[in-house]
Amino acid sequence: MEAFSSIECFVRSAEVGSFAEAARQLGLTPAAVGKSVAKLETRVGVRLFQRSTRRLTLTEAGRLFLAEVSDSLQTIQNAVSSLSTVQGRPAGTLKVSMGTLFGCLYIVPMLGAFLQRYPDIQPDWHFDNRQVDLIGQGFDAAIGGGFELPQGVVARRLSPAHRVLVASPTYLAAQPPIRDPEDLQRCRGILIRSPQTGRIRSWQLTGRTGGVRPLELKASMTMSDSEAACIAATQDLGLALVSMPFAVNYLRSGALQRVLPDWYVDDGYTSIYYAEHKMLPGKTRAFVDFVIEQFAEQGLAQTFSAL
């Protein structure tokens, strides 16, 4: 077990480039992690890291050793996790990342039913609108859209990620009819600025019956969040391009209306992400299957489709 712990400290330190960060993720002290790695180096007879005051760097031997042991370590950890059950039920801490509002609106309401089915799982849910390093930061799963798929991570689609144009009835009543994408040029736009890059993306509108047109909507203001854009639009401030999951309740209440309902922005899919393993931990498998089941039962894929 001591050798296993040393290898775990080495792999985690190599992934994050720091004894301190590895210690935080493993629930140890930096000194304990450093001592464990030093013992491993003594045991194998080679130096695995070049140490500096700022960062750890793998030696050539360290890179070779990491390539040999990292997959095997993950397989053993998953096997242990799968055995970590109570009377055959999935158990353990479930660390998941999801967007703040999307999670609160659609995933957290599933929590009661999930825990009723799996009472021995302890949720550790993180709400962030940025993509996380699923493996490096020790997450069991993440839910979101538009993520780059790093090596070793797989995705299961949950729903389309469509964006739609919305505005308040009062704003629309004061405008000439908007019948064609070209009519958007004379409207005030409430556009979304990427929280990652700070830029306003150039969008393409997709027609219900086919065809693609550029979205030519001048920004009178920008937001970094679809919910904020919806709230601004309810104040008669212009047309907002927002993600469908956030527009749904406003459209149902009549506070906002679709503009050009035969046109939408196709932004890929909202998916659930998790590390690809031969033996997926029982708690992760339970969560992934449950969320997919709930999306199907609640018809959320159809709800979030702009078609």
mmCIF file of all heavy atoms in Angstrom, residues 232-279:
data_model
loop_
_atom_site.group_PDB
_atom_site.id
_atom_site.type_symbol
_atom_site.label_atom_id
_atom_site.label_comp_id
_atom_site.label_asym_id
_atom_site.label_seq_id
_atom_site.Cartn_x
_atom_site.Cartn_y
_atom_site.Cartn_z
ATOM 1 N N ALA A 232 -32.311 41.448 -19.389
ATOM 2 C CA ALA A 232 -32.203 42.722 -20.103
ATOM 3 C C ALA A 232 -33.278 42.830 -21.183
ATOM 4 O O ALA A 232 -33.898 43.881 -21.371
ATOM 5 C CB ALA A 232 -30.812 42.858 -20.711
ATOM 6 N N ALA A 233 -33.518 41.731 -21.894
ATOM 7 C CA ALA A 233 -34.516 41.754 -22.969
ATOM 8 C C ALA A 233 -35.919 41.991 -22.429
ATOM 9 O O ALA A 233 -36.745 42.634 -23.092
ATOM 10 C CB ALA A 233 -34.472 40.443 -23.754
ATOM 11 N N THR A 234 -36.228 41.505 -21.230
ATOM 12 C CA THR A 234 -37.566 41.731 -20.660
ATOM 13 C C THR A 234 -37.810 43.204 -20.353
ATOM 14 O O THR A 234 -38.952 43.620 -20.154
ATOM 15 C CB THR A 234 -37.773 40.925 -19.363
ATOM 16 O OG1 THR A 234 -36.834 41.342 -18.360
ATOM 17 C CG2 THR A 234 -37.618 39.427 -19.615
ATOM 18 N N GLN A 235 -36.732 43.998 -20.320
ATOM 19 C CA GLN A 235 -36.858 45.431 -20.053
ATOM 20 C C GLN A 235 -36.974 46.245 -21.347
ATOM 21 O O GLN A 235 -36.723 47.457 -21.350
ATOM 22 C CB GLN A 235 -35.664 45.902 -19.225
ATOM 23 C CG GLN A 235 -35.559 45.210 -17.872
ATOM 24 C CD GLN A 235 -34.287 45.573 -17.133
ATOM 25 O OE1 GLN A 235 -34.064 46.737 -16.776
ATOM 26 N NE2 GLN A 235 -33.428 44.592 -16.910
ATOM 27 N N ASP A 236 -37.305 45.561 -22.443
ATOM 28 C CA ASP A 236 -37.550 46.224 -23.740
ATOM 29 C C ASP A 236 -36.285 46.874 -24.293
ATOM 30 O O ASP A 236 -36.353 47.921 -24.951
ATOM 31 C CB ASP A 236 -38.663 47.288 -23.610
ATOM 32 C CG ASP A 236 -39.875 46.780 -22.843
ATOM 33 O OD1 ASP A 236 -40.177 45.578 -22.943
ATOM 34 O OD2 ASP A 236 -40.504 47.592 -22.138
ATOM 35 N N LEU A 237 -35.121 46.243 -24.051
ATOM 36 C CA LEU A 237 -33.851 46.854 -24.440
ATOM 37 C C LEU A 237 -33.308 46.341 -25.769
ATOM 38 O O LEU A 237 -32.270 46.804 -26.217
ATOM 39 C CB LEU A 237 -32.807 46.628 -23.330
ATOM 40 C CG LEU A 237 -33.153 47.257 -21.974
ATOM 41 C CD1 LEU A 237 -32.083 46.934 -20.941
ATOM 42 C CD2 LEU A 237 -33.304 48.777 -22.124
ATOM 43 N N GLY A 238 -33.992 45.374 -26.381
ATOM 44 C CA GLY A 238 -33.525 44.898 -27.667
ATOM 45 C C GLY A 238 -33.698 43.401 -27.831
ATOM 46 O O GLY A 238 -34.377 42.742 -27.035
ATOM 47 N N LEU A 239 -33.072 42.871 -28.885
ATOM 48 C CA LEU A 239 -33.106 41.446 -29.188
ATOM 49 C C LEU A 239 -31.908 40.763 -28.534
ATOM 50 O O LEU A 239 -30.782 41.257 -28.614
ATOM 51 C CB LEU A 239 -33.041 41.202 -30.700
ATOM 52 C CG LEU A 239 -34.358 41.173 -31.482
ATOM 53 C CD1 LEU A 239 -35.046 42.530 -31.420
ATOM 54 C CD2 LEU A 239 -34.089 40.756 -32.925
ATOM 55 N N ALA A 240 -32.156 39.620 -27.903
ATOM 56 C CA ALA A 240 -31.078 38.866 -27.272
ATOM 57 C C ALA A 240 -30.923 37.518 -27.956
ATOM 58 O O ALA A 240 -31.919 36.872 -28.305
ATOM 59 C CB ALA A 240 -31.357 38.671 -25.786
ATOM 60 N N LEU A 241 -29.687 37.121 -28.148
ATOM 61 C CA LEU A 241 -29.381 35.775 -28.639
ATOM 62 C C LEU A 241 -28.977 34.952 -27.429
ATOM 63 O O LEU A 241 -27.929 35.198 -26.827
ATOM 64 C CB LEU A 241 -28.252 35.818 -29.670
ATOM 65 C CG LEU A 241 -27.802 34.451 -30.187
ATOM 66 C CD1 LEU A 241 -28.892 33.814 -31.043
ATOM 67 C CD2 LEU A 241 -26.495 34.563 -30.974
ATOM 68 N N VAL A 242 -29.797 33.976 -27.058
ATOM 69 C CA VAL A 242 -29.580 33.260 -25.802
ATOM 70 C C VAL A 242 -29.706 31.755 -26.014
ATOM 71 O O VAL A 242 -30.348 31.281 -26.958
ATOM 72 C CB VAL A 242 -30.582 33.716 -24.722
ATOM 73 C CG1 VAL A 242 -30.390 35.200 -24.411
ATOM 74 C CG2 VAL A 242 -32.021 33.457 -25.154
ATOM 75 N N SER A 243 -29.110 31.004 -25.096
ATOM 76 C CA SER A 243 -29.221 29.551 -25.124
ATOM 77 C C SER A 243 -30.652 29.136 -24.789
ATOM 78 O O SER A 243 -31.267 29.676 -23.870
ATOM 79 C CB SER A 243 -28.250 28.926 -24.118
ATOM 80 O OG SER A 243 -26.915 29.198 -24.477
ATOM 81 N N MET A 244 -31.169 28.174 -25.513
ATOM 82 C CA MET A 244 -32.552 27.760 -25.358
ATOM 83 C C MET A 244 -32.918 27.348 -23.927
ATOM 84 O O MET A 244 -34.009 27.703 -23.456
ATOM 85 C CB MET A 244 -32.860 26.624 -26.338
ATOM 86 C CG MET A 244 -34.321 26.308 -26.489
ATOM 87 S SD MET A 244 -35.259 27.703 -27.186
ATOM 88 C CE MET A 244 -36.883 26.982 -27.302
ATOM 89 N N PRO A 245 -32.075 26.616 -23.189
ATOM 90 C CA PRO A 245 -32.471 26.244 -21.825
ATOM 91 C C PRO A 245 -32.806 27.434 -20.931
ATOM 92 O O PRO A 245 -33.645 27.319 -20.038
ATOM 93 C CB PRO A 245 -31.240 25.492 -21.303
ATOM 94 C CG PRO A 245 -30.593 24.946 -22.516
ATOM 95 C CD PRO A 245 -30.801 25.989 -23.577
ATOM 96 N N PHE A 246 -32.163 28.574 -21.172
ATOM 97 C CA PHE A 246 -32.420 29.749 -20.346
ATOM 98 C C PHE A 246 -33.610 30.560 -20.853
ATOM 99 O O PHE A 246 -34.216 31.322 -20.107
ATOM 100 C CB PHE A 246 -31.172 30.631 -20.291
ATOM 101 C CG PHE A 246 -29.947 29.869 -19.866
ATOM 102 C CD1 PHE A 246 -28.885 29.696 -20.729
ATOM 103 C CD2 PHE A 246 -29.871 29.295 -18.604
ATOM 104 C CE1 PHE A 246 -27.770 28.965 -20.353
ATOM 105 C CE2 PHE A 246 -28.760 28.575 -18.220
ATOM 106 C CZ PHE A 246 -27.701 28.399 -19.093
ATOM 107 N N ALA A 247 -33.945 30.389 -22.125
ATOM 108 C CA ALA A 247 -35.071 31.124 -22.699
ATOM 109 C C ALA A 247 -36.410 30.456 -22.403
ATOM 110 O O ALA A 247 -37.453 31.117 -22.426
ATOM 111 C CB ALA A 247 -34.895 31.249 -24.212
ATOM 112 N N VAL A 248 -36.387 29.146 -22.116
ATOM 113 C CA VAL A 248 -37.626 28.361 -22.027
ATOM 114 C C VAL A 248 -38.654 28.985 -21.099
ATOM 115 O O VAL A 248 -39.816 29.195 -21.476
ATOM 116 C CB VAL A 248 -37.301 26.920 -21.578
ATOM 117 C CG1 VAL A 248 -38.579 26.188 -21.179
ATOM 118 C CG2 VAL A 248 -36.606 26.169 -22.699
ATOM 119 N N ASN A 249 -38.272 29.275 -19.860
ATOM 120 C CA ASN A 249 -39.250 29.788 -18.894
ATOM 121 C C ASN A 249 -39.789 31.162 -19.278
ATOM 122 O O ASN A 249 -40.968 31.470 -19.040
ATOM 123 C CB ASN A 249 -38.633 29.828 -17.497
ATOM 124 C CG ASN A 249 -38.417 28.436 -16.930
ATOM 125 O OD1 ASN A 249 -39.106 27.487 -17.310
ATOM 126 N ND2 ASN A 249 -37.454 28.292 -16.034
ATOM 127 N N TYR A 250 -38.946 31.999 -19.885
ATOM 128 C CA TYR A 250 -39.396 33.328 -20.329
ATOM 129 C C TYR A 250 -40.382 33.197 -21.488
ATOM 130 O O TYR A 250 -41.350 33.965 -21.581
ATOM 131 C CB TYR A 250 -38.205 34.176 -20.749
ATOM 132 C CG TYR A 250 -37.310 34.575 -19.599
ATOM 133 C CD1 TYR A 250 -36.205 33.810 -19.257
ATOM 134 C CD2 TYR A 250 -37.570 35.720 -18.846
ATOM 135 C CE1 TYR A 250 -35.383 34.169 -18.201
ATOM 136 C CE2 TYR A 250 -36.758 36.093 -17.785
ATOM 137 C CZ TYR A 250 -35.662 35.304 -17.471
ATOM 138 O OH TYR A 250 -34.854 35.658 -16.417
ATOM 139 N N LEU A 251 -40.132 32.236 -22.370
ATOM 140 C CA LEU A 251 -41.036 32.032 -23.503
ATOM 141 C C LEU A 251 -42.375 31.464 -23.023
ATOM 142 O O LEU A 251 -43.440 31.853 -23.503
ATOM 143 C CB LEU A 251 -40.392 31.095 -24.522
ATOM 144 C CG LEU A 251 -39.133 31.634 -25.218
ATOM 145 C CD1 LEU A 251 -38.491 30.545 -26.077
ATOM 146 C CD2 LEU A 251 -39.460 32.854 -26.077
ATOM 147 N N ARG A 252 -42.314 30.547 -22.072
ATOM 148 C CA ARG A 252 -43.550 29.946 -21.555
ATOM 149 C C ARG A 252 -44.416 30.978 -20.832
ATOM 150 O O ARG A 252 -45.641 30.932 -20.916
ATOM 151 C CB ARG A 252 -43.202 28.798 -20.613
ATOM 152 C CG ARG A 252 -42.708 27.540 -21.325
ATOM 153 C CD ARG A 252 -42.251 26.498 -20.334
ATOM 154 N NE ARG A 252 -41.909 25.233 -21.002
ATOM 155 C CZ ARG A 252 -41.288 24.220 -20.409
ATOM 156 N NH1 ARG A 252 -40.945 24.316 -19.127
ATOM 157 N NH2 ARG A 252 -41.011 23.121 -21.078
ATOM 158 N N SER A 253 -43.778 31.899 -20.123
ATOM 159 C CA SER A 253 -44.533 32.913 -19.373
ATOM 160 C C SER A 253 -45.042 34.046 -20.254
ATOM 161 O O SER A 253 -45.916 34.813 -19.848
ATOM 162 C CB SER A 253 -43.667 33.497 -18.257
ATOM 163 O OG SER A 253 -42.637 34.319 -18.789
ATOM 164 N N GLY A 254 -44.475 34.159 -21.457
ATOM 165 C CA GLY A 254 -44.850 35.250 -22.340
ATOM 166 C C GLY A 254 -44.051 36.516 -22.131
ATOM 167 O O GLY A 254 -44.271 37.520 -22.813
ATOM 168 N N ALA A 255 -43.086 36.491 -21.179
ATOM 169 C CA ALA A 255 -42.247 37.672 -20.941
ATOM 170 C C ALA A 255 -41.375 37.968 -22.156
ATOM 171 O O ALA A 255 -41.031 39.130 -22.408
ATOM 172 C CB ALA A 255 -41.379 37.456 -19.704
ATOM 173 N N LEU A 256 -41.008 36.920 -22.896
ATOM 174 C CA LEU A 256 -40.237 37.081 -24.128
ATOM 175 C C LEU A 256 -40.903 36.283 -25.233
ATOM 176 O O LEU A 256 -41.618 35.307 -24.974
ATOM 177 C CB LEU A 256 -38.790 36.598 -23.931
ATOM 178 C CG LEU A 256 -37.921 37.372 -22.945
ATOM 179 C CD1 LEU A 256 -36.566 36.703 -22.799
ATOM 180 C CD2 LEU A 256 -37.741 38.825 -23.378
ATOM 181 N N GLN A 257 -40.618 36.678 -26.477
ATOM 182 C CA GLN A 257 -41.124 35.965 -27.637
ATOM 183 C C GLN A 257 -39.975 35.622 -28.565
ATOM 184 O O GLN A 257 -38.967 36.342 -28.622
ATOM 185 C CB GLN A 257 -42.145 36.829 -28.393
ATOM 186 C CG GLN A 257 -43.414 37.125 -27.611
ATOM 187 C CD GLN A 257 -44.379 38.003 -28.399
ATOM 188 O OE1 GLN A 257 -44.091 38.412 -29.526
ATOM 189 N NE2 GLN A 257 -45.520 38.298 -27.802
ATOM 190 N N ARG A 258 -40.115 34.508 -29.285
ATOM 191 C CA ARG A 258 -39.125 34.169 -30.305
ATOM 192 C C ARG A 258 -39.180 35.197 -31.419
ATOM 193 O O ARG A 258 -40.257 35.651 -31.832
ATOM 194 C CB ARG A 258 -39.400 32.782 -30.897
ATOM 195 C CG ARG A 258 -39.037 31.596 -30.035
ATOM 196 C CD ARG A 258 -37.583 31.206 -30.114
ATOM 197 N NE ARG A 258 -37.103 30.890 -31.438
ATOM 198 C CZ ARG A 258 -37.108 29.665 -31.975
ATOM 199 N NH1 ARG A 258 -37.621 28.644 -31.307
ATOM 200 N NH2 ARG A 258 -36.608 29.458 -33.173
ATOM 201 N N VAL A 259 -38.036 35.568 -31.919
ATOM 202 C CA VAL A 259 -37.899 36.413 -33.096
ATOM 203 C C VAL A 259 -37.343 35.525 -34.211
ATOM 204 O O VAL A 259 -36.396 34.765 -33.988
ATOM 205 C CB VAL A 259 -36.950 37.595 -32.825
ATOM 206 C CG1 VAL A 259 -36.770 38.438 -34.073
ATOM 207 C CG2 VAL A 259 -37.476 38.437 -31.667
ATOM 208 N N LEU A 260 -37.933 35.612 -35.390
ATOM 209 C CA LEU A 260 -37.563 34.733 -36.493
ATOM 210 C C LEU A 260 -37.566 33.268 -36.027
ATOM 211 O O LEU A 260 -36.530 32.594 -36.001
ATOM 212 C CB LEU A 260 -36.174 35.100 -37.053
ATOM 213 C CG LEU A 260 -36.040 36.477 -37.695
ATOM 214 C CD1 LEU A 260 -34.597 36.730 -38.120
ATOM 215 C CD2 LEU A 260 -36.971 36.608 -38.904
ATOM 216 N N PRO A 261 -38.715 32.737 -35.637
ATOM 217 C CA PRO A 261 -38.776 31.385 -35.079
ATOM 218 C C PRO A 261 -38.360 30.281 -36.037
ATOM 219 O O PRO A 261 -38.141 29.149 -35.596
ATOM 220 C CB PRO A 261 -40.254 31.242 -34.676
ATOM 221 C CG PRO A 261 -40.978 32.260 -35.473
ATOM 222 C CD PRO A 261 -40.032 33.403 -35.661
ATOM 223 N N ASP A 262 -38.237 30.592 -37.315
ATOM 224 C CA ASP A 262 -37.757 29.594 -38.268
ATOM 225 C C ASP A 262 -36.236 29.595 -38.393
ATOM 226 O O ASP A 262 -35.686 28.862 -39.219
ATOM 227 C CB ASP A 262 -38.371 29.839 -39.650
ATOM 228 C CG ASP A 262 -39.848 29.490 -39.683
ATOM 229 O OD1 ASP A 262 -40.267 28.632 -38.876
ATOM 230 O OD2 ASP A 262 -40.587 30.090 -40.486
ATOM 231 N N TRP A 263 -35.579 30.405 -37.561
ATOM 232 C CA TRP A 263 -34.123 30.493 -37.603
ATOM 233 C C TRP A 263 -33.555 30.321 -36.191
ATOM 234 O O TRP A 263 -34.159 30.755 -35.214
ATOM 235 C CB TRP A 263 -33.665 31.841 -38.165
ATOM 236 C CG TRP A 263 -34.065 32.052 -39.601
ATOM 237 C CD1 TRP A 263 -35.242 32.545 -40.063
ATOM 238 C CD2 TRP A 263 -33.285 31.737 -40.751
ATOM 239 N NE1 TRP A 263 -35.251 32.576 -41.429
ATOM 240 C CE2 TRP A 263 -34.051 32.086 -41.884
ATOM 241 C CE3 TRP A 263 -32.008 31.209 -40.939
ATOM 242 C CZ2 TRP A 263 -33.595 31.917 -43.188
ATOM 243 C CZ3 TRP A 263 -31.544 31.044 -42.242
ATOM 244 C CH2 TRP A 263 -32.330 31.398 -43.345
ATOM 245 N N TYR A 264 -32.383 29.690 -36.108
ATOM 246 C CA TYR A 264 -31.735 29.465 -34.815
ATOM 247 C C TYR A 264 -30.236 29.291 -35.036
ATOM 248 O O TYR A 264 -29.770 29.135 -36.187
ATOM 249 C CB TYR A 264 -32.313 28.222 -34.131
ATOM 250 C CG TYR A 264 -32.036 26.927 -34.873
ATOM 251 C CD1 TYR A 264 -30.967 26.098 -34.524
ATOM 252 C CD2 TYR A 264 -32.834 26.538 -35.955
ATOM 253 C CE1 TYR A 264 -30.712 24.924 -35.214
ATOM 254 C CE2 TYR A 264 -32.586 25.370 -36.655
ATOM 255 C CZ TYR A 264 -31.526 24.552 -36.276
ATOM 256 O OH TYR A 264 -31.270 23.406 -36.969
ATOM 257 N N VAL A 265 -29.481 29.333 -33.977
ATOM 258 C CA VAL A 265 -28.042 29.071 -34.030
ATOM 259 C C VAL A 265 -27.787 27.662 -33.499
ATOM 260 O O VAL A 265 -28.217 27.324 -32.389
ATOM 261 C CB VAL A 265 -27.250 30.099 -33.199
ATOM 262 C CG1 VAL A 265 -25.785 29.676 -33.064
ATOM 263 C CG2 VAL A 265 -27.344 31.476 -33.838
ATOM 264 N N ASP A 266 -27.132 26.851 -34.300
ATOM 265 C CA ASP A 266 -26.775 25.492 -33.894
ATOM 266 C C ASP A 266 -25.396 25.524 -33.233
ATOM 267 O O ASP A 266 -24.387 25.737 -33.898
ATOM 268 C CB ASP A 266 -26.762 24.574 -35.117
ATOM 269 C CG ASP A 266 -26.546 23.114 -34.747
ATOM 270 O OD1 ASP A 266 -26.188 22.844 -33.583
ATOM 271 O OD2 ASP A 266 -26.721 22.254 -35.623
ATOM 272 N N ASP A 267 -25.380 25.348 -31.915
ATOM 273 C CA ASP A 267 -24.120 25.413 -31.157
ATOM 274 C C ASP A 267 -23.696 24.046 -30.658
ATOM 275 O O ASP A 267 -23.079 23.918 -29.593
ATOM 276 C CB ASP A 267 -24.281 26.389 -29.976
ATOM 277 C CG ASP A 267 -22.936 26.909 -29.476
ATOM 278 O OD1 ASP A 267 -21.954 26.853 -30.247
ATOM 279 O OD2 ASP A 267 -22.856 27.346 -28.315
ATOM 280 N N GLY A 268 -24.051 23.002 -31.399
ATOM 281 C CA GLY A 268 -23.606 21.655 -31.039
ATOM 282 C C GLY A 268 -24.557 20.982 -30.059
ATOM 283 O O GLY A 268 -25.775 20.987 -30.251
ATOM 284 N N TYR A 269 -23.985 20.423 -28.992
ATOM 285 C CA TYR A 269 -24.771 19.648 -28.040
ATOM 286 C C TYR A 269 -24.351 19.956 -26.608
ATOM 287 O O TYR A 269 -23.192 20.314 -26.345
ATOM 288 C CB TYR A 269 -24.596 18.143 -28.288
ATOM 289 C CG TYR A 269 -25.188 17.673 -29.596
ATOM 290 C CD1 TYR A 269 -24.420 17.689 -30.764
ATOM 291 C CD2 TYR A 269 -26.512 17.240 -29.671
ATOM 292 C CE1 TYR A 269 -24.958 17.278 -31.974
ATOM 293 C CE2 TYR A 269 -27.051 16.830 -30.875
ATOM 294 C CZ TYR A 269 -26.283 16.842 -32.019
ATOM 295 O OH TYR A 269 -26.814 16.447 -33.208
ATOM 296 N N THR A 270 -25.290 19.807 -25.704
ATOM 297 C CA THR A 270 -24.979 19.734 -24.282
ATOM 298 C C THR A 270 -24.758 18.260 -23.961
ATOM 299 O O THR A 270 -25.584 17.417 -24.325
ATOM 300 C CB THR A 270 -26.129 20.293 -23.426
ATOM 301 O OG1 THR A 270 -26.303 21.675 -23.735
ATOM 302 C CG2 THR A 270 -25.819 20.138 -21.940
ATOM 303 N N SER A 271 -23.641 17.963 -23.314
ATOM 304 C CA SER A 271 -23.261 16.572 -23.074
ATOM 305 C C SER A 271 -22.829 16.368 -21.634
ATOM 306 O O SER A 271 -22.553 17.323 -20.903
ATOM 307 C CB SER A 271 -22.113 16.167 -24.018
ATOM 308 O OG SER A 271 -22.477 16.323 -25.378
ATOM 309 N N ILE A 272 -22.763 15.113 -21.255
ATOM 310 C CA ILE A 272 -22.171 14.749 -19.971
ATOM 311 C C ILE A 272 -20.833 14.076 -20.273
ATOM 312 O O ILE A 272 -20.749 13.198 -21.134
ATOM 313 C CB ILE A 272 -23.110 13.839 -19.149
ATOM 314 C CG1 ILE A 272 -22.523 13.593 -17.762
ATOM 315 C CG2 ILE A 272 -23.452 12.547 -19.853
ATOM 316 C CD1 ILE A 272 -23.519 13.015 -16.770
ATOM 317 N N TYR A 273 -19.792 14.540 -19.622
ATOM 318 C CA TYR A 273 -18.416 14.122 -19.897
ATOM 319 C C TYR A 273 -17.871 13.323 -18.717
ATOM 320 O O TYR A 273 -18.157 13.639 -17.559
ATOM 321 C CB TYR A 273 -17.510 15.331 -20.113
ATOM 322 C CG TYR A 273 -17.925 16.232 -21.253
ATOM 323 C CD1 TYR A 273 -18.939 17.176 -21.104
ATOM 324 C CD2 TYR A 273 -17.296 16.143 -22.488
ATOM 325 C CE1 TYR A 273 -19.326 17.998 -22.149
ATOM 326 C CE2 TYR A 273 -17.671 16.965 -23.541
ATOM 327 C CZ TYR A 273 -18.686 17.888 -23.364
ATOM 328 O OH TYR A 273 -19.067 18.700 -24.401
ATOM 329 N N TYR A 274 -17.073 12.324 -19.027
ATOM 330 C CA TYR A 274 -16.406 11.558 -17.970
ATOM 331 C C TYR A 274 -15.194 10.861 -18.562
ATOM 332 O O TYR A 274 -15.065 10.719 -19.784
ATOM 333 C CB TYR A 274 -17.368 10.551 -17.334
ATOM 334 C CG TYR A 274 -18.044 9.610 -18.313
ATOM 335 C CD1 TYR A 274 -17.527 8.353 -18.585
ATOM 336 C CD2 TYR A 274 -19.206 10.005 -18.979
ATOM 337 C CE1 TYR A 274 -18.138 7.496 -19.480
ATOM 338 C CE2 TYR A 274 -19.831 9.164 -19.883
ATOM 339 C CZ TYR A 274 -19.294 7.907 -20.125
ATOM 340 O OH TYR A 274 -19.903 7.066 -21.023
ATOM 341 N N ALA A 275 -14.285 10.449 -17.677
ATOM 342 C CA ALA A 275 -13.055 9.809 -18.137
ATOM 343 C C ALA A 275 -13.365 8.420 -18.687
ATOM 344 O O ALA A 275 -14.200 7.695 -18.143
ATOM 345 C CB ALA A 275 -12.046 9.713 -16.992
ATOM 346 N N GLU A 276 -12.685 8.088 -19.766
ATOM 347 C CA GLU A 276 -12.899 6.795 -20.412
ATOM 348 C C GLU A 276 -12.084 5.730 -19.693
ATOM 349 O O GLU A 276 -10.850 5.798 -19.635
ATOM 350 C CB GLU A 276 -12.483 6.871 -21.884
ATOM 351 C CG GLU A 276 -12.710 5.592 -22.659
ATOM 352 C CD GLU A 276 -12.316 5.732 -24.116
ATOM 353 O OE1 GLU A 276 -11.470 6.600 -24.417
ATOM 354 O OE2 GLU A 276 -12.852 4.991 -24.944
ATOM 355 N N HIS A 277 -12.768 4.751 -19.110
ATOM 356 C CA HIS A 277 -12.088 3.676 -18.387
ATOM 357 C C HIS A 277 -12.748 2.344 -18.719
ATOM 358 O O HIS A 277 -13.950 2.281 -18.990
ATOM 359 C CB HIS A 277 -12.180 3.889 -16.867
ATOM 360 C CG HIS A 277 -11.517 5.143 -16.392
ATOM 361 N ND1 HIS A 277 -10.204 5.433 -16.645
ATOM 362 C CD2 HIS A 277 -12.008 6.180 -15.663
ATOM 363 C CE1 HIS A 277 -9.900 6.599 -16.100
ATOM 364 N NE2 HIS A 277 -10.974 7.076 -15.506
ATOM 365 N N LYS A 278 -11.940 1.298 -18.662
ATOM 366 C CA LYS A 278 -12.504 -0.039 -18.833
ATOM 367 C C LYS A 278 -13.450 -0.362 -17.689
ATOM 368 O O LYS A 278 -14.438 -1.056 -17.864
ATOM 369 C CB LYS A 278 -11.376 -1.071 -18.912
ATOM 370 C CG LYS A 278 -10.487 -0.942 -20.145
ATOM 371 C CD LYS A 278 -9.386 -1.981 -20.141
ATOM 372 C CE LYS A 278 -8.494 -1.827 -21.372
ATOM 373 N NZ LYS A 278 -7.372 -2.807 -21.357
ATOM 374 N N MET A 279 -13.102 0.111 -16.494
ATOM 375 C CA MET A 279 -13.928 -0.137 -15.323
ATOM 376 C C MET A 279 -14.333 1.202 -14.720
ATOM 377 O O MET A 279 -13.614 1.772 -13.906
ATOM 378 C CB MET A 279 -13.175 -0.989 -14.296
ATOM 379 C CG MET A 279 -14.035 -1.430 -13.115
ATOM 380 S SD MET A 279 -13.125 -2.476 -11.953
ATOM 381 C CE MET A 279 -12.888 -3.922 -12.967
#
